[in-house]
Amino acid sequence: MKHLKKELLESVSQQDVQVPKHVHDKIEETLAGLPQRVAKPKIHVMRKIAIPAAACLAFVFLALLPNISMVYAKAVNKIPVLGDLAQVFTIRNYDFSNENYELQVSVAKVDDKKNPEAGEHINQNIDQLTSSVIEQFYHDMELANGNGHGSIHIDYETMTNTEQWYTLKLMVTETAASSNTYYKFYHIDRTTGNYVTLESLFEQEDFQILEQWIVDDMKAQMEEDSSKTYWIEETALGQTLTALDEDQNFYFNDKGNLVIVYDKYEVGPGFMGCPEFEIPREVYKSHLRYQLGK
């Protein structure tokens, strides 16, 4: 029994946090209530010991640890509900903080057994993006030599998960002298098994139709609300900032409409955040390269 108690407390301590007194007392109380081990136990006695011991382990790891370790709690919350067609969960957490800097990163992994190649493509991209952001964070902190300030937060959410379509949204917030927020959307057409980009849905010439809808929407919004500002004029290179590319962020909302998403500062000042523009299904559907199964 002493050995079991030691293993439990060591397991908790490996979370690199201070164990609260009430949690420590609860473990002590639970272990104290277990039958004491005898020198030559019979089989039926061992069973009686094993059952409450297993219950104690379940109590500690499912009830106590989420209250002790924020990292553990977050990982549990990311485990998908059984029965999801595609699953996403946290495989790594990066947490760092001092007086001037803070880093909180949850690295997602997509598990789509029906479309493993598309899922692996997403996972590699997420790993590259998060690794790059983390490396830059520590590089900037080293250059500042204790004089700077900054924070990085990366998290994710599943936006769509059906038999036909899967969309994952990655959210990155960077703060230094100013703040910046940007998103990355990942899509799997589960009817074809393909990883989907805007270019795989529309021809380049059709981008102009989508762009024109967005520009018209921007103008209408600014006419209705003088506090809104979008940058829609042509640049010195003769291209508008609203121009779409093959990796443009987008998603389909619950109405089936196409939503184009720009990064902060991309088509407007910072107070406009990450603007989104909803393009009705009847506008874009005739321009799709193929009929979506969603």
Side-chain angles (χ1 to χ4, degrees):
M1 191 55 59
K2 289 182 179 179
H3 179 67
L4 174 60
K5 171 181 171 182
K6 180 180 178 182
E7 287 183 349
L8 288 171
L9 293 177
E10 284 181 350
S11 177
V12 172
S13 66
Q14 288 174 0
Q15 299 296 319
D16 295 327
V17 295
Q18 183 65 38
V19 180
K21 184 176 184 303
H22 74 279
V23 175
H24 186 282
D25 292 344
K26 190 63 179 179
I27 295 175
E28 293 275 4
E29 177 186 340
T30 305
L31 290 172
L34 297 179
Q36 295 300 311
R37 193 171 184 176
V38 294
K40 295 181 179 180
K42 295 181 180 180
I43 294 177
H44 71 278
V45 175
M46 287 297 295
R47 287 174 180 169
K48 290 181 180 180
I49 295 174
I51 293 173
C56 177
L57 284 169
F59 170 78
V60 170
F61 286 99
L62 297 181
L64 297 184
L65 285 183
N67 296 318
I68 298 172
S69 169
M70 293 303 295
V71 173
Y72 178 89
K74 194 163 192 176
V76 170
N77 289 336
K78 292 298 184 183
I79 294 176
V81 177
L82 293 178
D84 277 0
L85 297 167
Q87 299 183 357
V88 60
F89 49 91
T90 301
I91 56 171
R92 289 189 301 278
N93 282 297
Y94 296 94
D95 293 276
F96 169 86
S97 65
N98 61 19
E99 293 181 355
N100 298 332
Y101 288 90
E102 181 179 65
L103 175 72
Q104 291 184 343
V105 176
S106 294
V107 182
K109 179 180 179 180
V110 175
D111 182 15
D112 187 346
K113 291 181 171 54
K114 181 180 177 183
N115 307 290
E117 291 185 4
E120 185 56 31
H121 177 84
I122 293 174
N123 295 333
Q124 290 178 2
N125 190 281
I126 290 175
D127 188 65
Q128 292 171 0
L129 189 153
T130 53
S131 296
S132 175
V133 171
I134 291 170
E135 288 175 8
Q136 188 64 47
F137 170 82
Y138 284 112
H139 177 69
D140 292 344
M141 186 171 62
E142 182 180 2
L143 288 179
N145 195 26
N147 297 319
H149 295 269
S151 66
I152 297 289
H153 296 266
I154 302 179
D155 208 343
Y156 63 89
E157 67 173 311
T158 296
M159 299 189 68
T160 304
N161 192 6
T162 69
E163 293 182 357
Q164 292 79 35
W165 196 265
Y166 179 79
T167 295
L168 179 72
K169 177 182 180 182
L170 197 70
M171 302 161 285
V172 183
T173 302
E174 302 175 338
T175 303
S178 61
S179 65
N180 186 28
T181 299
Y182 55 94
Y183 305 133
K184 177 66 177 177
F185 292 82
Y186 301 96
H187 312 278
I188 300 175
D189 186 338
R190 305 189 79 245
T191 62
T192 64
N194 294 331
Y195 173 74
V196 181
T197 64
L198 197 67
E199 186 180 38
S200 62
L201 294 178
F202 300 95
E203 300 285 353
Q204 284 286 340
E205 54 265 30
D206 291 324
F207 281 11
Q208 298 177 5
I209 297 172
L210 305 180
E211 292 165 12
Q212 188 58 54
W213 175 272
I214 292 170
V215 169
D216 291 343
D217 189 14
M218 287 178 169
K219 291 178 178 179
Q221 289 186 38
M222 289 189 290
E223 288 179 1
E224 294 176 5
D225 187 348
S226 60
S227 68
K228 291 187 176 182
T229 301
Y230 294 111
W231 300 326
I232 57 177
E233 295 80 11
E234 287 189 357
T235 66
L237 298 177
Q239 187 178 34
T240 62
L241 298 176
T242 57
L244 304 176
D245 59 39
E246 61 274 13
D247 293 322
Q248 181 70 43
N249 274 327
F250 74 93
Y251 67 91
F252 293 98
N253 63 17
D254 54 4
K255 300 176 185 176
N257 295 336
L258 174 66
V259 181
I260 300 295
V261 184
Y262 291 96
D263 290 340
K264 191 175 181 180
Y265 304 109
E266 190 174 7
V267 294
F271 69 83
M272 294 298 293
C274 297
E276 299 187 0
F277 300 92
E278 183 176 352
I279 303 176
R281 188 184 188 94
E282 56 268 23
V283 173
Y284 74 78
K285 67 178 182 181
S286 62
H287 300 282
L288 287 170
R289 284 188 167 187
Y290 70 96
Q291 184 61 41
L292 296 179
K294 64 187 300 300

